[in-house]
Amino acid sequence: MALDSTVVNVYKGVRLAVFMVNPYLPSSLEYVEREYPNVPEGVAIVILLNFRDTMVRDEKDPPPTLMKETKDFLVQKQGAKISIQDVQQLVMEIRENRAGFNSSNLFSLRGSDQKDVDIPAVHCFEVSMLNCYGLRELHQYLNLPFLRMKQQLLIEQLSRASSEMVGALNALEVGLEETKYHEFASTF
């Protein structure tokens, strides 16, 4: 029996689910299609299309410099079966299926121009584990759920502080109405 998300709750306390897709193995994209419904609402999803270094899309892309193991792997697989467009199509499908999750957005925030900015709950981008292409973007993306958690905590603290201020003002008003100086002075 495999220990995966069907046996163990791998999403407990998680803010982000990362799926890695191998463009030479269609079963890896099928796995994402099968497993994304198990990701709880409120958990962001990022899909990484790996082996970017092996895929030349147009004449602007430099020819890949491949290690022998990678070349052997590509000869076996005979070309990529999954493109970034396939993954982007899946991302759009996931966003539509998770529409109840704040219009498929991770969260909304007010930008510097005082307009709401929506952060999508599902992203995809290309990466290469061979030369670390996309690593910076992944690192930046990993920061978003943490910042969302921090934002929610600050909103809760602000709400609590506002409630305490209202309670303190009410107590002050009641105290000022009930307390008279001559009654206070007579207690001495």
Side-chain angles (χ1 to χ4, degrees), residues 106-110 144-157:
L106 178 58
F107 55 92
S108 296
L109 54 90
R110 194 159 299 275
L144 288 175
F146 168 74
L147 292 173
R148 172 60 176 154
M149 181 180 67
K150 188 175 178 180
Q151 180 191 40
Q152 288 173 332
L153 179 65
L154 291 171
I155 289 171
E156 289 172 13
Q157 289 175 342

Side-chain angles (χ1 to χ4, degrees), residues 21-90:
V21 174
N22 181 336
Y24 301 98
L25 297 174
S27 60
S28 65
L29 187 62
E30 292 166 6
Y31 175 81
V32 177
E33 291 171 344
R34 187 176 61 250
E35 291 299 319
Y36 87 79
N38 297 331
V39 177
E41 296 292 329
V43 174
I45 298 173
V46 64
I47 303 171
L48 306 176
L49 182 62
N50 196 7
F51 294 106
R52 177 61 184 97
D53 54 296
T54 65
M55 296 182 288
V56 178
R57 285 195 303 240
D58 58 38
E59 58 279 347
K60 293 178 187 173
D61 283 346
T65 55
L66 305 175
M67 297 188 317
K68 182 183 180 334
E69 298 84 22
T70 307
K71 286 180 186 176
D72 292 343
F73 177 79
L74 292 177
V75 169
Q76 283 181 325
K77 299 304 175 188
Q78 299 175 355
K81 311 275 192 270
I82 300 169
S83 68
I84 189 66
Q85 289 79 17
D86 297 328
V87 178
Q88 289 170 339
Q89 182 178 348
L90 177 60

Side-chain angles (χ1 to χ4, degrees), residues 160-176:
R160 205 172 314 121
S162 296
S163 299
E164 290 176 15
M165 281 178 55
V166 168
L169 282 172
N170 289 339
L172 177 64
E173 288 176 5
V174 168
L176 291 174

